[in-house]
Amino acid sequence: MAILTHAFSSRAVRLAAVAGVSLSLLALAGCANQSASSSVYTYGQAQQEQIVRYGTVVSVRSVVIQSDKSSGVGALGGAALGGVAGSAIGGGRGQILTSIGGALLGGLAGNAVENQVGKTQGLEITVRLDNGETRVIAQAADVALSSGQRVQVISGGGPTRVVPM
């Protein structure tokens, strides 16, 4: 009976740990929302004066925008789940080794998933301003832009945005 109670409490502790880590990771993931959209302003950018210049789109090229800040949520979550999964295999020293191996592989897999999630389809927009200068701005591909289109280039107090007129 003591062995059964020990096995149950050990399994319950593992499940509680996984649930706790998972909930923490979800909370952290919600804080890591970044946007390269021309339509999204942060709270600090609101009510800030912006400079508006007018121009014509010269070219538009599809690009991928990769988040440069890894939150570590993917690696941490993957390591936790991999470690728990690995601990269910074998016994004694073998169980310890599979736990460590599961944590390492889970961490690598979780990091790879987070990197894929951190990618956004974007546009590299070349604009010839009315004053003759040429500017290139990359932003999320959430606004349709094409060569020859008249646009506003909005900058100052944050990212530069290209928006149709």
Side-chain angles (χ1 to χ4, degrees):
M1 183 71 171
I3 295 172
L4 181 61
T5 304
H6 175 70
F8 175 73
S9 64
S10 177
R11 183 172 289 154
V13 169
R14 276 191 241 147
L15 289 175
V18 169
V21 169
S22 298
L23 289 174
S24 298
L25 295 177
L26 287 174
L28 286 172
C31 299
N33 186 15
Q34 296 180 346
S35 177
S37 171
S38 64
S39 301
V40 175
Y41 286 80
T42 65
Y43 187 81
Q45 293 166 344
Q47 296 183 329
Q48 296 292 319
E49 181 179 17
Q50 303 279 316
I51 297 168
V52 179
R53 296 173 287 170
Y54 297 95
T56 304
V57 175
V58 175
S59 65
V60 179
R61 181 173 76 100
S62 294
V63 295
V64 174
I65 300 172
Q66 172 71 50
S67 175
D68 59 349
K69 297 179 182 174
S70 175
S71 66
V73 171
L76 184 62
L81 293 175
V84 169
S87 70
I89 300 170
R93 288 186 186 205
Q95 187 176 28
I96 293 170
L97 292 176
T98 57
S99 295
I100 293 170
L104 290 173
L105 292 175
L108 291 172
N111 188 53
V113 168
E114 182 179 7
N115 286 338
Q116 288 301 314
V117 170
K119 291 183 179 181
T120 304
Q121 292 301 311
L123 298 174
E124 180 185 83
I125 308 146
T126 303
V127 178
R128 179 162 294 115
L129 300 173
D130 289 350
N131 68 5
E133 294 178 357
T134 301
R135 297 284 188 250
V136 176
I137 299 101
Q139 66 186 35
D142 61 341
V143 176
L145 296 168
S146 58
S147 294
Q149 185 175 8
R150 293 286 292 162
V151 293
Q152 293 179 336
V153 178
I154 304 169
S155 60
T160 299
R161 309 165 191 314
V162 178
V163 296
M165 292 181 60

